[in-house]
Amino acid sequence: MRIGLITPDPGHPLLAGAAALLARDHVVEALDPTPPGDVPVPVPRRPADVYLLKSGTPHAVGLARELERRGAAVLNSAAATALCQDRTEMAGLALRAGLPFAATRTVGPFSAWASGSPLAAPVVVKSRHNRKGDLVARADDTAALRALARAWPQEPVVVQEYAPNNGWDHKLWAIGDHVFAARRRSELSPGGRGPNLPQALDELPPGWAGLVREVGAVFALDVFGVDIIDTGGGTPLIVDINAFPGVRGQPEAPAALASLTLRRAADHRRPRV
């Protein structure tokens, strides 16, 4: 079987670990979706049996979409990956599905919105388009908001009301049926975020693991992360969803990904009745 990795970084620990396991019996090929000189990467003439899409850039998603059109299985799908890159669409789907997702409004270019009415309560401002190095910041007052806007004047942003919490982000990840968990200090806390601290599932509040699986069903995701904060008494609030995150610090994650890859390829090749 031929397995493709759509990524500019095949050495990422999760991918490299899964690839090492898969390469014992299969051919694993990396496909860098980053176009030289903004020229689209050519689509392989003979696609692999299954691809792991570990990039959310427009070029990577476009490449995955064309591979799907040619009959290849892609994990996660191009459509599901693209959905998670747009926080407006993400929030809309989550809220329509009844998930406990933070109320999110889209305000367009940051500076135009920030120059309007004074800020009445703390907010969290995020880049609308989810990407490496994007904007995620808390503003407690109008002065802080406008200072932030001066640094990101034309950035399309979404705004969420700040929800009081204990200062910890809960990072939950799913790879197929496997759910992994960790916690770390919130990047919005004064000291900044620290390392991920692995957490056993039975240490989570009741229902949180099931909530992650529900997110996967709603968003049609196979490998994904859900960022949750505890707003009191174990009440979860989802603040972000990520397609194909790193799942760092989880020794069993590469094996789970390798197993899922083979199952997805087998399911894709099985004739539909």
Side-chain angles (χ1 to χ4, degrees):
M1 184 181 297
R2 291 173 55 236
I3 298 161
L5 311 178
I6 303 176
T7 177
D9 182 19
H12 183 283
L14 175 61
L15 281 183
L21 295 172
L22 291 165
R24 296 172 183 174
D25 301 300
H26 307 279
V27 176
V28 180
E29 307 164 331
L31 182 58
D32 188 346
T34 307
D38 208 37
V39 177
V41 175
V43 179
R45 300 179 70 178
R46 187 169 70 89
D49 297 281
V50 61
Y51 287 90
L52 304 183
L53 177 55
K54 182 74 175 76
S55 176
T57 66
H59 286 291
V61 172
L63 177 59
R65 188 171 284 118
E66 178 60 22
L67 288 165
E68 289 173 335
R69 191 185 71 80
R70 298 190 184 193
V74 179
L75 187 165
N76 300 293
S77 72
T81 300
L83 178 59
C84 289
Q85 303 312 114
D86 186 330
R87 289 190 169 103
T88 297
E89 298 298 323
M90 176 199 302
L93 175 57
L95 292 168
R96 289 193 302 273
L99 295 171
F101 196 94
T104 302
R105 53 193 170 115
T106 303
V107 298
F110 194 1
S111 60
W113 174 73
S115 64
S117 302
L119 191 63
V123 296
V124 177
V125 182
K126 301 179 179 181
S127 296
R128 172 172 177 172
H129 302 292
N130 186 355
R131 65 193 188 279
K132 186 175 182 179
D134 62 358
L135 170 64
V136 178
R138 173 180 169 180
D140 288 343
D141 54 38
T142 302
L145 181 72
R146 292 178 179 171
L148 195 60
R150 286 194 292 272
W152 298 76
Q154 299 305 313
E155 182 74 0
V157 296
V158 299
V159 179
Q160 299 172 343
E161 291 185 8
Y162 175 73
N165 60 88
N166 60 9
W168 289 91
D169 284 344
H170 294 268
K171 311 290 291 186
L172 278 73
W173 303 287
I175 300 178
D177 295 330
H178 294 263
V179 177
F180 305 91
R183 64 190 185 109
R184 73 180 181 196
R185 296 301 301 178
S186 170
E187 61 188 316
L188 305 178
S189 62
R193 68 188 187 191
N196 287 341
L197 304 175
Q199 191 171 18
L201 293 186
D202 59 11
E203 295 175 350
L204 295 173
W208 281 29
L211 176 60
V212 172
R213 295 186 176 98
E214 186 179 356
V215 169
V218 169
F219 281 79
L221 290 164
D222 299 290
V223 184
F224 61 98
V226 183
D227 293 350
I228 299 177
I229 59 174
D230 185 343
T231 58
T235 301
L237 183 69
I238 300 172
V239 295
D240 225 338
I241 299 168
N242 299 286
F244 222 126
V247 199
R248 295 180 184 272
Q250 303 289 339
E252 297 178 1
L257 179 57
S259 177
L260 175 63
T261 301
L262 296 178
R263 291 200 309 272
R264 177 50 54 86
D267 290 344
H268 189 72
R269 295 167 68 180
R270 186 175 295 123
R272 299 290 193 269
V273 178

